[in-house]
């Protein structure tokens, strides 16, 4: 209705009943069952048209600014990645050092420490951190049923 | 002159019919000199913006990715990664080669060109297990979701609904799956659309994983967890959800009227772990519960 | 009606928030202290908008007033840009510090590129200014970063186009075996008969436009000692019919050697040839005069580095073996270009102008013996 009104001059819209080429009446849609209507809705949800938002049109200045931001972000991520990998390498080396030391001190302890931990699990209470955690984060008193 | 010298027999003849027909006369020896790779799309004047990288905002295929914090990823890097390193690293590890196909002994002439023998004690090859270092800490790489709808053979609308359902709960575009062959007993014909599948990676995967472990799984009644027997021996874990379980996804639950029917689905969590046992350890860090006896672990040592 | 009003006002709101942040960050931004060249600064019309955000009256890069007023920057771009700029600036500062300690020329070159490649002003200058006929105020090819950007730009289109044409027209291997392009060679006929634009490789040109010698532009990208380097330019035609041998031979149309170039001033024009007496003309320019009824002839321009060796030789005969010449003089091919010519009505005039003998008209004759 909106589009039709915009095409017709304001003062005439109440008078004119019929305009060539523009449908003024609501089309009489064949009534469909609710099930079919649901399928139609679902089809429209998964249609490709819904997936392509309009392109952002940036001015030249803003485009270069946008690219600069992206570049800085990717370099920053790269720095974080390198730092993390360095840290892990240090940890790895120190694990091996500690195990080697233990081997010389006490071979029995070393065997226990160097055992394959098959079936190891992180505690089920462990949560992925959130911005607004629950008031009670950890239930300390809860014990496993298993002995 | 030049052509004679360089290419011997392939002289460009002046008095050839090629010249008369107006075609350019050139050496018939195919050049072996391609030093620069030519991308024809880039030379075409059509759709210039498609030649830009997909990270360029002018390309119609551009999608903003880092739009929000990825807390699952951060959690993995901040807490899980170093713990997994500590759990997995052992002193004095070496590469354990898996079962590989074997040569025939050559006792028969028919062994020539025959496909290699099966591995000892197995039908398929298994992967090598490499030493655990800081460079191969296991992480979740992808989640494949497969939703096969049996009823779709009678009513193809069900396949469509399963597609929509998958899109709603994952936020990525699923692919329809089709029956590959005729199965007369099931009344299935090749080419029937039988459901949907989706592959999640990166941010959508993390989002889905946190919804699954924080919202859906805790609300399933009598849910025991993923079976400790699940897995394909190379570090990928499989499990499934029933149609009733799927109702707990917030996208479905908030719109009950739209979903008179929901469909169960199978999940395959692909990890870079080398064995299933390591993969389970990794997944338990994200809050996925496990149950049952595990191969190679004494019942009293099973952790839950 | 109401709805559109709300939309309008909300857009206005977004715009005002963006503007406010502009005012806050309205401090003079300067890239690292090491970047000295004036070409590292964007043009004064755009600099303000590029570094401090699009002003109230719209982006200067938009021409129309209507679109200027309609334009709104994405929300939050200014704050994000300020952060990004500071971050990249410190990175660049580190590169300049490394540069001051570095002694190896190639590594210095690389560091110079890395220090400036993320500078938004450099990016802006390169993207929105004429790249081939560059204005040194904005694009200064003596700076390694601009050469690197130009090289990437060239590799993305110009280089591939050239190689495609060289291969499909069989310029390689008919003249030289192959080419690993290192420099961009552009060519145009900028005199009164020519078409005053750069020729796309493989174009078919009329004999009128090629009456006088072409203007050649050679853009070097590598880290070469350009003040000492000498260049040779050869234009050859490998499609001259050789009736005796029932084949074709190669002729030298034009040859220049001992050409000195610069990263910015790198055009070999008729004017430069008149002024610069150090340039050796191996053989004077002979215009393409293809014979009637023959297929198109290829005119291939080859550019070589002489590796600091003077080449003062003159050649009097046009018949030429380019492979032998290149091997003898130890020339390094770095670039090429090709255009094509065929007979047209003006060829006779060109022959008259240069005092060349009349051309041959070839006819189709059915031979007595079958051809191979």
């Amino acid at each position: 209705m909106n589009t039709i009104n915009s095409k017709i001059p304001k003062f005439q819209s109440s008078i004119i009943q019929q305009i060539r080429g523009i449908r003024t009446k609501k089309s009489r849609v064949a009534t469909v069952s609710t099930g079919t209507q649901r399928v139609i809705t679902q089809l429209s949800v998964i249609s490709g048209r819904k997936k392509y938002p309009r392109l952002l049109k940036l001015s030249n200045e803003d485009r270069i600014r946008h690219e600069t931001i992206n570049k800085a972000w990717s370099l920053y991520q790269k720095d974080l990645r390198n730092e993390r990998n360095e840290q892990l390498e240090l940890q790895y080396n120190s694990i091996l050092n500690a195990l080697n030391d233990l081997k010389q001190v006490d071979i029995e302890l070393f065997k226990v420490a160097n055992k394959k931990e098959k079936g190891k699990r992180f505690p089920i209470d462990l949560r992925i951190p959130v911005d607004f955690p629950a008031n009670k984060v950890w239930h300390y008193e809860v014990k496993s049923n298993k002995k | 002159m030049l052509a004679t010298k360089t290419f011997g027999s392939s002289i460009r003849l002046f008095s050839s019919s090629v010249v008369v027909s107006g075609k350019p006369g050139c050496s018939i020896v195919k050049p072996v000199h391609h030093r620069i790779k030519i991308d024809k799309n880039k030379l075409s004047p059509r759709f210039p913006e498609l030649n830009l990288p997909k990270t360029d905002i002018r390309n119609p295929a551009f999608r903003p990715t880092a739009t929000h914090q990825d807390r699952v990823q951060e959690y993995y890097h901040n807490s899980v990664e170093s713990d997994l390193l500590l759990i997995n690293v052992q002193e004095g590890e070496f590469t354990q080669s898996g079962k590989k196909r074997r040569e025939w002994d050559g006792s028969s002439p028919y062994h020539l060109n025959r496909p290699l023998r099966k591995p000892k004690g197995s039908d398929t090859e298994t992967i090598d297990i490499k030493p655990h270092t800081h460079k191969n800490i296991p992480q979740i790489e992808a989640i494949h979701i497969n939703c096969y709808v049996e009823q779709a053979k009678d009513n193809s609308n069900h396949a469509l609904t399963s597609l929509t359902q998958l899109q709603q709960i994952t936020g990525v575009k699923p692919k329809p799956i089709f029956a590959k062959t005729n199965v007369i007993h099931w009344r299935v014909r090749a080419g029937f659309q039988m459901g949907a599948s989706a592959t999640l990676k990166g941010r959508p995967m993390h989002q889905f994983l946190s919804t699954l472990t924080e919202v859906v799984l805790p609300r399933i009644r009598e849910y025991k967890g993923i079976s400790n027997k699940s897995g394909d021996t190379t570090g990928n874990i499989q499990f499934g959800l029933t149609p009733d379980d799927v109702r707990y996804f917030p996208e479905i639950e908030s719109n009950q009227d739209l979903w008179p029917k929901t469909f169960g689905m199978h999940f395959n969590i692909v990890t870079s772990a080398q064995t299933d046992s390591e993969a389970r350890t990794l997944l338990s860090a994200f809050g996925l519960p496990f149950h049952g006896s595990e191969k190679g672990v004494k019942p009293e040592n099973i952790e839950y | 009606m109401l709805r559109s009003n709300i939309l309008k006002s909300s857009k206005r709101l977004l715009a005002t928030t963006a503007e406010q942040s502009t005012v806050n960050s309205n401090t003079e931004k300067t890239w690292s202290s090491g970047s000295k060249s004036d070409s590292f600064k964007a043009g004064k019309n755009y600099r303000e908008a590029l570094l401090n955000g699009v002003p109230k009256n719209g982006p200067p890069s938009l021409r129309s007033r209507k679109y200027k007023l309609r334009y709104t920057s994405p929300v939050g771009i200014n704050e994000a840009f300020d952060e990004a700029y500071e971050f990249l600036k410190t990175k660049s500062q580190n590169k300049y510090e490394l540069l001051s300690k570095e002694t190896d020329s190639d590594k210095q070159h690389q560091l110079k590129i890395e220090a400036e490649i993320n500078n938004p002003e450099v990016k802006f200058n390169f993207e929105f200014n004429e790249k081939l006929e560059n204005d040194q105020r904005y694009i200064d090819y003596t700076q390694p970063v601009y050469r690197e950007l130009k090289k990437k730009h060239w590799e993305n289109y110009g280089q591939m186009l050239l190689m495609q044409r060289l291969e499909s027209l069989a310029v390689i291997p008919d003249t030289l075996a192959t080419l690993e392009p290192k420099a961009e060679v552009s060519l145009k006929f900028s005199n009164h008969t020519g078409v005053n634009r750069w020729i796309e490789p493989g174009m078919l040109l009329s004999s009128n436009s090629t009456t006088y010698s072409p203007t050649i532009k050679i853009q070097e990208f590598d880290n070469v000692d350009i003040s000492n380097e000498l260049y040779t330019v050869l234009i050859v035609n490998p499609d001259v019919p050789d009736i005796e041998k029932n084949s074709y031979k190669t002729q030298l149309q034009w040859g220049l050697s001992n050409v000195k170039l610069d990263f910015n001033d790198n055009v070999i024009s008729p004017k430069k040839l008149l002024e610069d007496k150090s340039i050796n003309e191996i053989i004077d320019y002979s215009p393409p005069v293809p014979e009637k009824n023959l297929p198109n002839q290829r005119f291939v321009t080859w550019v070589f580095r002489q590796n600091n060796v003077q080449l003062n030789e003159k050649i009097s005969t046009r018949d030429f073996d380019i492979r032998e010449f290149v091997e003898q003089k130890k020339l390094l091919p770095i670039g090429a270009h090709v255009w094509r010519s065929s007979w047209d009505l003006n060829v006779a005039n060109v022959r008259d102008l240069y005092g060349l003998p009349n051309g041959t008209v070839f006819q189709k004759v059915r031979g007595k013996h079958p051809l191979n």
Side-chain angles (χ1 to χ4, degrees):
Chain A
M1 262 335 248
N2 250 342
T3 51
I4 296 162
N5 280 341
S6 65
K7 281 172 191 167
I8 307 165
K10 265 276 136 55
F11 59 94
Q12 285 180 347
S13 57
S14 56
I15 307 160
I16 293 178
Q17 295 295 313
Q18 193 187 351
I19 297 170
R20 191 168 298 179
I22 297 178
R23 183 183 285 164
T24 51
K25 272 188 184 173
K26 265 191 177 175
S27 61
R28 195 172 292 170
V29 183
T31 47
V32 290
S33 66
T34 45
T36 318
Q37 186 56 49
R38 196 179 292 128
V39 171
I40 293 170
T41 318
Q42 285 173 355
L43 270 175
S44 88
V45 166
I46 54 176
S47 76
R49 183 172 58 87
K50 301 271 177 185
K51 298 221 176 315
Y52 286 84
R54 220 164 29 172
L55 275 179
L56 259 184
K57 279 183 188 160
L58 296 182
S59 71
N60 291 347
E61 295 90 348
D62 272 347
R63 189 163 68 69
I64 299 294
R65 286 159 76 73
H66 166 82
E67 278 167 16
T68 310
I69 294 166
N70 271 7
K71 186 73 197 175
W73 176 253
S74 62
L75 286 179
Y76 175 64
Q77 293 298 318
K78 193 180 167 193
D79 284 359
L80 288 185
R81 205 159 52 233
N82 290 343
E83 199 183 321
R84 219 159 45 215
N85 290 342
E86 227 166 71
Q87 201 59 41
L88 286 172
E89 194 177 355
L90 288 176
Q91 191 196 344
Y92 175 67
N93 290 335
S94 58
I95 290 172
L96 288 191
N97 283 342
L99 282 171
N100 280 328
D101 287 352
L102 194 60
K103 202 179 193 174
Q104 279 153 19
V105 175
D106 188 339
I107 195 79
E108 289 304 315
L109 276 179
F110 167 77
K111 275 179 188 170
V112 176
N114 201 28
K115 223 171 152 187
K116 183 94 203 148
E117 289 186 284
K118 213 175 176 187
K120 182 88 180 167
R121 298 280 178 273
F122 283 80
I124 195 78
D125 316 53
L126 196 62
R127 293 276 174 274
I128 301 172
V130 287
D131 284 342
F132 304 99
N135 291 331
K136 194 169 185 182
V137 179
W138 193 273
H139 298 273
Y140 288 95
E141 67 281 6
V142 174
K143 293 274 180 292
S144 172
N145 296 336
K146 295 252 170 180
K147 296 211 168 84
Chain B
M1 181 177 70
L2 179 73
T4 328
K5 218 172 171 184
T6 327
F7 299 112
S9 60
S10 65
I11 310 166
R12 288 199 288 149
L13 289 177
F14 174 63
S15 63
S16 72
S17 51
V18 182
V19 177
V20 176
S21 64
K23 283 176 191 159
C26 62
S27 165
I28 47 170
V29 172
K30 280 294 163 202
V32 196
H33 54 252
H34 301 270
R35 297 294 167 94
I36 303 293
K37 201 176 174 217
I38 296 165
D39 181 356
K40 278 187 182 174
N41 291 338
K42 291 211 169 129
L43 295 182
S44 158
R46 303 176 73 211
F47 316 123
E49 63 275 6
L50 291 185
N51 287 329
L52 298 166
K54 277 192 182 168
T55 47
D56 194 305
I57 199 162
R58 287 167 293 172
N59 191 325
F62 170 79
R63 295 284 172 276
T65 46
T67 49
H68 55 279
Q69 195 182 8
D70 190 350
R71 67 189 181 97
V72 178
Q73 179 82 339
E74 280 176 17
Y75 165 68
Y76 173 76
H77 288 314
N78 294 339
S79 316
V80 181
E81 213 173 17
S82 58
D83 284 2
L84 282 174
L85 182 67
L86 192 56
I87 291 170
N88 288 333
V89 168
Q90 277 181 298
E91 206 266 350
E93 274 187 307
F94 52 88
T95 307
Q96 299 171 333
S97 56
K99 291 169 183 167
K100 303 293 168 197
R101 289 184 163 271
R102 294 169 294 164
E103 294 280 348
W104 293 96
D105 55 4
S107 57
S108 158
Y110 294 107
H111 285 167
L112 271 176
N113 294 333
R114 188 183 274 187
L116 291 177
R117 275 176 91 183
K118 278 179 187 167
K120 204 169 188 179
S122 163
D123 274 357
T124 49
E125 292 191 339
T126 55
I127 54 166
D128 297 345
I129 309 283
K130 298 195 178 73
H132 299 87
T133 66
H134 59 286
K135 283 181 182 163
N136 58 7
I137 303 172
Q139 60 175 340
I140 305 180
E141 286 180 342
I143 301 181
H144 296 300
I145 308 176
N146 197 40
C147 179
Y148 180 86
V149 183
E150 209 188 329
Q151 302 96 308
K153 67 190 174 192
D154 299 323
N155 184 356
S156 62
N157 285 349
H158 288 318
L160 200 68
T161 312
S162 71
L163 196 83
T164 324
Q165 175 194 295
L166 211 51
Q167 181 181 308
Q168 288 288 300
I169 64 177
T170 60
V172 304
K173 185 162 183 161
K175 271 188 224 156
I177 50 176
F178 300 95
K180 283 181 188 166
T181 49
N182 295 326
V183 185
I184 296 165
H185 293 303
W186 297 354
R187 289 186 287 128
V188 166
R189 295 290 202 94
F192 276 9
Q193 191 175 337
M194 295 303 291
S197 75
T199 300
L200 306 181
K201 280 177 184 174
R203 279 163 188 268
M205 177 181 79
H206 291 140
Q207 176 60 54
F208 181 77
L209 200 63
S210 63
T211 317
L212 190 72
T213 55
E214 287 164 9
V215 183
V216 181
L217 297 186
R219 295 175 61 197
I220 300 175
R221 279 179 191 279
E222 307 272 316
Y223 185 67
K224 285 187 279 184
I226 303 170
S227 167
N228 267 330
K229 292 198 175 70
S230 162
D232 66 350
T233 71
T234 57
N236 306 325
I237 304 292
Q238 295 78 28
F239 65 100
L241 287 183
T242 64
D244 288 337
D245 299 345
V246 170
R247 289 198 171 276
Y248 293 119
F249 275 98
E251 293 86 357
I252 309 281
E253 196 184 30
S254 61
N255 233 339
Q256 294 275 9
D257 299 347
L258 262 180
W259 302 101
K261 198 170 183 62
T262 49
F263 304 97
M265 49 190 72
H266 288 112
F267 297 88
N268 180 16
I269 304 186
V270 180
T271 72
S272 60
Q274 304 190 59
T275 63
D276 288 348
S277 163
E278 284 159 27
R280 276 180 217 115
T281 311
L282 166 71
L283 293 186
S284 72
F286 293 92
L288 286 166
F290 287 90
H291 86 100
S293 59
E294 186 171 351
K295 199 181 169 193
V297 184
K298 285 177 190 166
E300 64 269 23
N301 288 345
I302 290 174
E303 294 181 34
Y304 291 105
Chain C
M1 198 63 197
L2 186 70
R3 211 175 142 203
S4 64
N5 261 340
I6 291 168
L7 263 182
K8 256 185 199 166
S9 63
S10 67
K11 258 190 183 175
R12 209 52 242 159
L13 195 74
L14 294 187
T16 44
T17 47
E19 279 153 18
Q20 272 175 356
S21 61
T22 312
V23 176
N24 293 340
S25 63
N26 204 357
T27 45
E28 178 70 17
K29 283 200 181 80
T30 42
W31 196 246
S32 6
S33 56
S35 63
K36 296 286 192 311
S37 169
D38 283 343
S39 66
F40 293 158
K41 287 205 160 66
K44 65 177 190 300
N45 294 344
Y46 306 105
R47 189 156 193 270
E48 178 65 23
L50 179 65
L51 295 182
N52 292 329
V54 171
K56 251 179 207 171
N57 55 0
S61 60
L62 289 181
R63 289 287 161 82
S64 146
R65 191 168 170 273
K66 184 176 126 194
Y67 288 117
K68 270 188 171 186
L69 289 177
R70 194 182 280 178
Y71 184 82
T72 46
S73 291
V75 178
I77 194 171
N78 291 337
E79 293 84 345
F81 178 78
D82 291 348
E83 285 282 322
Y85 190 84
E86 283 304 314
F87 178 80
L88 293 174
K89 196 171 134 181
T90 45
K91 292 246 156 201
S92 152
Q93 196 66 50
N94 295 342
K95 296 284 174 192
Y96 273 117
E97 272 159 27
L98 285 177
L99 181 65
S100 60
K101 290 168 201 155
E102 188 60 59
T103 48
D104 183 43
S105 163
D106 284 341
K107 281 179 185 163
Q108 275 181 349
H109 179 77
Q110 193 55 35
L111 280 171
K112 276 179 191 168
I113 293 173
E114 284 168 10
E116 288 295 335
I117 195 97
N118 294 326
N119 186 348
E121 294 183 78
V122 167
K123 215 176 222 179
F124 188 88
N125 275 352
F126 184 75
E127 196 128 317
F128 304 110
N129 283 297
E130 179 56 44
K131 295 173 191 62
L132 193 56
E133 290 166 276
N134 57 319
D135 183 343
Q136 282 183 48
R137 284 176 302 167
Y138 305 121
I139 299 182
D140 182 2
Y141 286 127
T142 52
Q143 300 298 338
V145 62
Y146 282 115
R147 261 182 283 147
E148 178 68 13
L149 285 168
K150 174 69 178 146
K151 191 183 179 191
K152 287 272 152 58
H153 181 261
W154 172 62
E155 281 172 349
N156 221 6
Y157 181 77
Q159 192 196 51
M160 284 195 286
L161 184 75
L162 172 76
M163 291 313 280
Q164 190 201 40
R165 301 294 157 89
L166 292 187
E167 284 169 12
S168 60
L169 292 174
V171 167
I172 45 180
D174 275 4
T175 51
L176 286 182
T178 187
L179 170 67
E180 278 175 53
K182 294 182 173 68
E184 184 180 18
V185 178
S186 325
L187 186 137
K188 73 174 169 184
F189 292 88
S190 55
N191 38 56
H192 62 282
T193 57
V195 277
N196 194 12
R197 62 187 160 93
W198 297 103
I199 309 287
E200 189 179 280
M203 248 168 94
L204 195 61
L205 299 180
S206 72
S207 64
N208 185 40
S209 59
T210 55
T211 310
Y212 299 101
S213 62
T215 301
I216 300 167
K217 187 175 159 75
I218 302 156
Q219 182 67 58
E220 274 274 22
F221 303 115
D222 292 355
N223 183 27
V224 287
D225 183 12
I226 197 95
S227 53
N228 293 327
E229 196 57 74
L230 294 170
Y231 294 86
T232 295
V233 179
L234 302 173
I235 299 184
V236 292
N237 172 11
D239 295 327
V240 182
D242 188 352
I243 309 283
E244 286 166 20
K245 288 186 176 159
N246 188 15
S247 184
Y248 296 88
K249 59 187 177 183
T250 304
Q251 275 192 355
L252 184 61
Q253 301 294 125
W254 199 28
L256 298 172
S257 63
N258 302 342
V259 182
K260 286 208 150 199
L261 294 175
D262 184 63
F263 284 127
N264 283 317
D265 175 27
N266 48 19
V267 180
I268 308 172
S269 59
K271 185 167 163 258
K272 187 172 181 179
L273 290 177
L274 281 176
E275 284 170 359
D276 192 350
K277 293 295 167 204
S278 66
I279 296 176
N280 171 40
E281 200 166 22
I282 298 173
I283 197 162
D284 57 340
Y285 181 70
S286 160
V289 279
E291 271 100 353
K292 196 173 177 180
N293 289 348
L294 281 193
N296 302 333
Q297 292 190 335
R298 299 163 286 174
F299 290 84
V300 188
T301 311
W302 281 96
V303 176
F304 307 89
R305 275 190 209 140
Q306 283 173 217
N307 296 325
N308 305 338
V309 184
Q310 289 277 336
L311 206 165
N312 295 319
E313 190 181 324
K314 300 238 180 214
I315 297 176
S316 52
T317 52
R318 296 256 168 218
D319 286 356
F320 188 64
D321 186 343
I322 183 169
R323 290 194 184 207
E324 198 183 303
F325 185 81
V326 169
E327 206 167 302
Q328 268 182 13
K329 310 294 177 201
K330 296 194 172 56
L331 300 174
L332 176 70
I334 56 165
H337 199 285
V338 59
W339 85 82
R340 290 179 299 163
S341 295
S342 65
W343 181 89
D344 58 32
L345 286 170
N346 189 54
V347 167
N349 296 341
V350 179
R351 282 181 185 272
D352 280 351
L353 191 69
Y354 279 80
L356 296 170
N358 288 338
T360 322
V361 179
F362 288 94
Q363 305 292 348
K364 295 174 190 177
V365 178
R366 192 174 288 279
K368 285 176 184 166
H369 307 291
L371 294 166
N372 296 330

